[in-house]
Amino acid sequence: MSGIFSAAAWQKVWTYRATFLHGLGTTVQTAVLAILLAMVIGIVLGLFATGHNRALKAISRVYVEFIQNTPVMLQLCFLYYALAFSGHSIGIIRTGIVSLGIYHGAYMAEVIRAGIEAIPKGQFEAAQSQGFGYIGEMYYIILPQSIKIILPPMVNQVVNLIKNTSCLYIIGGTDLISLTYSFVTGATTGGAYGPAYLVSGVLFFVICYPLSKLASTWESRLKQRDRRVTVAGHGSTEKGVETA
């Protein structure tokens, strides 16, 4: 029954379609909450990394380097089993949210750091000359300008986080991949390997592809706008010189 062209296998998948939709719902819920956590961590550590306090810079650097250079699945298993054996288990889904939030928070921090550092130094000096403190400088001057740099790679991180929800399978979650595996190995539902995993892949694609396309389109439009602004500014300068 596992053949991709098996009518019986497709019929079984259709009959139990609620299982796949439930898994998709859990995946989306986990991803949304993990994204919020990752963004909070990313903003805080990104600001630490670009601030003037060396201790905070060191904390940000250590966190980013450690998290980025260890597998997300290892972090997920460590957190889940460490909490379970200590008697403080928070459940599979919450563990997944925390683990994915912590992992992608490190990447979000790098995205925000790079966005802030891409702003010309003159903008920082202008903000300081106007009497802004660090928080005011970031809130009113720097972050609004860095948004166009930060958003495209941030959307890419969101896509990666959604795909990484599949890691919950290793601790027996109820996400899309976990329920797909339970479906194809179940006593009464097993056998439809090809159709089941294909449907699961299509559902991931339906979520992730539009976001990936959004990021690339967004980035292209921002670059085109910057080129138009540069050309317009260059033209105005030349006109002013001719007039003079």
Side-chain angles (χ1 to χ4, degrees):
M1 185 187 288
S2 60
I4 193 70
F5 298 108
S6 170
W10 281 104
Q11 180 60 43
K12 181 171 287 190
V13 169
W14 175 253
T15 300
Y16 290 93
R17 59 190 180 277
T19 298
F20 296 90
L21 294 176
H22 175 68
L24 178 63
T26 302
T27 291
V28 171
Q29 178 187 13
T30 302
V32 168
L33 295 176
I35 288 166
L36 294 176
L37 177 58
M39 289 183 67
V40 170
I41 293 173
I43 291 171
V44 171
L45 293 181
L47 293 175
F48 281 4
T50 55
H52 308 297
N53 188 302
R54 291 185 178 182
L56 295 181
K57 283 186 176 182
I59 291 172
S60 176
R61 195 72 256 151
V62 169
Y63 179 94
V64 168
E65 292 295 342
F66 180 78
I67 296 298
Q68 287 189 349
N69 289 287
T70 52
V72 61
M73 193 171 292
L74 174 64
Q75 297 171 24
L76 176 63
C77 290
F78 174 80
L79 182 61
Y80 177 72
Y81 290 110
L83 291 174
F85 286 120
S86 67
H88 298 89
S89 176
I90 58 175
I92 294 173
I93 299 301
R94 289 180 181 175
T95 302
I97 292 168
V98 173
S99 297
L100 292 173
I102 289 173
Y103 181 75
H104 286 278
Y107 288 91
M108 292 287 193
E110 284 293 270
V111 168
I112 292 170
R113 179 191 62 78
I116 292 173
E117 291 181 348
I119 302 302
K121 296 296 182 182
Q123 296 295 312
F124 292 87
E125 295 170 356
Q128 292 167 7
S129 69
Q130 294 298 316
F132 285 102
Y134 180 71
I135 299 298
E137 172 186 85
M138 286 294 164
Y139 184 80
Y140 292 105
I141 308 297
I142 305 304
L143 288 179
Q145 295 183 68
S146 64
I147 291 295
K148 64 180 181 181
I149 302 170
I150 291 172
L151 285 178
M154 185 176 286
V155 173
N156 286 329
Q157 282 304 315
V158 168
V159 173
N160 290 333
L161 188 152
I162 292 171
K163 291 187 289 186
N164 279 339
T165 58
S166 60
C167 293
L168 269 68
Y169 153 76
I170 199 69
I171 57 174
T174 56
D175 60 288
L176 182 55
I177 294 297
S178 299
L179 290 186
T180 300
Y181 177 77
S182 298
F183 174 82
V184 299
T185 58
T188 58
T189 60
Y193 294 95
Y197 281 115
L198 180 59
V199 167
S200 183
V202 168
L203 291 175
F204 267 106
F205 180 83
V206 166
I207 297 174
C208 294
Y209 178 74
L211 291 174
S212 298
K213 194 67 176 176
L214 172 64
S216 60
T217 302
W218 208 340
E219 188 171 10
S220 297
R221 288 181 177 176
L222 289 172
K223 288 180 179 179
Q224 290 173 4
R225 187 178 69 180
D226 287 343
R227 283 196 294 268
R228 288 196 298 269
V229 171
T230 301
V231 171
H234 182 66
S236 298
T237 302
E238 289 183 344
K239 184 176 180 182
V241 171
E242 290 175 0
T243 302

